[in-house]
Amino acid sequence: MLTESIDALVNDPAGIYVDVTMGGGGHSREILRRLNKAGRLICLDQDEDAVKNVPEDERVIFCRSNFRYLRNWLHYYDAPQVDGILADLGVSSHHLDDAERGFSFRADGPLDMRMNQQASRTAATVVNEYTEEALASVLNLYGELKNSKALAKALVKARAAQPLQTIGALLEVVSPLMPREREKKELAKMFQALRIEVNDEMGALREMLEATSKALKPGGRLVMITYHSLEDRLVKNLMKTGNVEGRIEKDFFGNLLSPFGKAAKMVVPSDEEIENNPRSRSAKLRVGFRV
């Protein structure tokens, strides 16, 4: 949904825009194509692999940082309010294709899953050091796995004999507990849960979203591409109520108090895009307009 997201984001060619998930740089390059010489683009990404994808353009400022620090960087670069903020919350194909990063169960590699490779917590940390109860909670909350308790019990039993350090070792333990007809989907949920925990993705997303209402100018646009219900719920709540909890607040006259008003909209991928990129099947594009 590259075209749809940038169409929704950029309405002033001389504006200041932020891509908080630069990744491979595809969205950033399209934003720059829509800006004139006066426009500016601030890019954030915590992955050192993203550095090589920074567009060579004098209008670009790159911050190697988690997007939870969005407001800090905007103040640092004297841009406390901007015209638009974009986030694509999906895992990049680069991460999935690089076995050494440990994001996919399709190839063996270390149990890593860190977006920021300087961080200390890895998937191996979670699998080997969390209590059985904490492991079950992670798998249930972030992967919505119905057999989370059984999986956690099996992992704790296996690691008692030898720490689990590789994807292959993890699969050897959990695969027998996965329904054969849904094995790939269940493994994807498990890897999603571990990745979210390793990178504190939900905590970072909450902080970034809560900063957007102050970081956007009146009329500014918030464009978010989500891929699973947990993150989509936070985005939807923010755009509807102005807070990630979905807490409804009204003024004296009963009008909803939200910095994003009532103009939020959602777009889903076209059949053609899903055919070209099956991973986009679960994607939702949400757009909020700052009042």
Side-chain angles (χ1 to χ4, degrees):
M1 289 188 284
L2 174 64
T3 300
E4 294 89 339
S5 61
I6 308 306
D7 283 348
L9 179 73
V10 180
N11 68 330
D12 179 3
I16 303 174
Y17 294 89
V18 187
D19 181 354
V20 300
T21 52
M22 193 199 73
H27 287 101
S28 291
R29 286 188 288 273
E30 183 60 22
I31 293 170
L32 288 170
R33 198 178 68 80
R34 310 284 185 99
L35 301 182
N36 61 27
K37 291 182 179 180
R40 292 169 63 195
L41 173 63
I42 300 173
C43 301
L44 281 74
D45 203 295
Q46 61 183 324
D47 191 340
E48 69 175 297
D49 287 351
V51 175
K52 63 179 180 292
N53 300 319
V54 179
E56 294 184 8
D57 192 303
E58 61 183 10
R59 297 171 295 174
V60 174
I61 294 172
F62 176 72
C63 312
R64 189 186 164 199
S65 173
N66 190 303
F67 59 38
R68 72 195 320 155
Y69 304 115
L70 170 65
R71 287 279 287 166
N72 303 60
W73 287 110
L74 293 184
H75 281 288
Y76 182 80
Y77 285 107
D78 195 27
Q81 288 195 310
V82 298
D83 296 277
I85 298 170
L86 167 74
D88 182 349
L89 301 176
V91 181
S92 71
S93 58
H94 161 71
H95 287 137
L96 296 174
D97 294 341
D98 186 352
E100 290 302 308
R101 300 295 298 272
F103 285 97
S104 173
F105 58 83
R106 299 181 185 277
D108 199 8
L111 277 172
D112 193 326
M113 300 192 192
R114 291 172 297 172
M115 293 291 187
N116 177 0
Q117 291 169 291
Q118 295 180 346
S120 58
R121 181 170 53 189
T122 67
T125 307
V126 176
V127 169
N128 290 296
E129 298 181 14
Y130 277 33
T131 65
E132 183 176 327
E133 293 75 15
L135 260 178
S137 178
V138 167
L139 297 177
N140 177 56
L141 180 61
Y142 297 145
E144 300 178 309
L145 289 159
K146 295 180 180 179
N147 62 340
S148 59
K149 291 183 179 180
L151 289 167
K153 184 176 182 179
L155 289 169
V156 170
K157 182 180 179 180
R159 78 190 191 192
Q162 183 177 351
L164 304 172
Q165 301 292 350
T166 66
I167 291 170
L170 177 69
L171 295 181
E172 189 175 338
V173 175
V174 302
S175 289
L177 298 175
M178 298 293 184
R180 194 57 52 197
E181 68 280 5
R182 301 197 312 275
E183 182 178 12
K184 290 183 179 179
K185 288 186 178 180
E186 296 295 290
L187 286 173
K189 289 181 179 180
M190 183 175 193
F191 274 61
Q192 171 185 290
L194 293 174
R195 191 199 76 228
I196 290 173
E197 177 66 14
V198 167
N199 298 287
D200 188 24
E201 291 181 23
M202 302 309 294
L205 179 59
R206 286 188 180 92
E207 290 181 36
M208 186 271 286
L209 289 174
E210 288 168 350
T212 58
S213 59
K214 293 182 179 179
L216 285 167
K217 298 177 181 178
R221 287 133 182 251
L222 177 64
V223 178
M224 306 289 298
I225 304 175
T226 67
Y227 291 84
H228 60 78
S229 59
L230 297 172
E231 59 193 18
D232 188 61
R233 188 178 302 121
L234 297 184
V235 174
K236 183 169 63 174
N237 283 346
L238 179 84
M239 292 185 180
K240 180 179 179 180
T241 66
N243 59 80
V244 295
E245 294 85 11
R247 185 179 62 255
I248 295 176
E249 299 178 353
K250 297 182 178 182
D251 63 16
F252 178 79
F253 300 101
N255 299 310
L256 180 67
L257 292 173
S258 171
F260 292 97
K262 299 180 180 180
K265 64 179 182 179
M266 184 188 78
V267 179
V268 295
S270 64
D271 292 339
E272 180 181 359
E273 176 158 354
I274 292 174
E275 183 176 351
N276 294 331
N277 181 14
R279 287 182 55 238
S280 68
R281 184 181 301 275
S282 60
K284 291 184 176 68
L285 170 65
R286 293 192 182 274
V287 185
F289 303 87
R290 178 75 166 85
V291 296

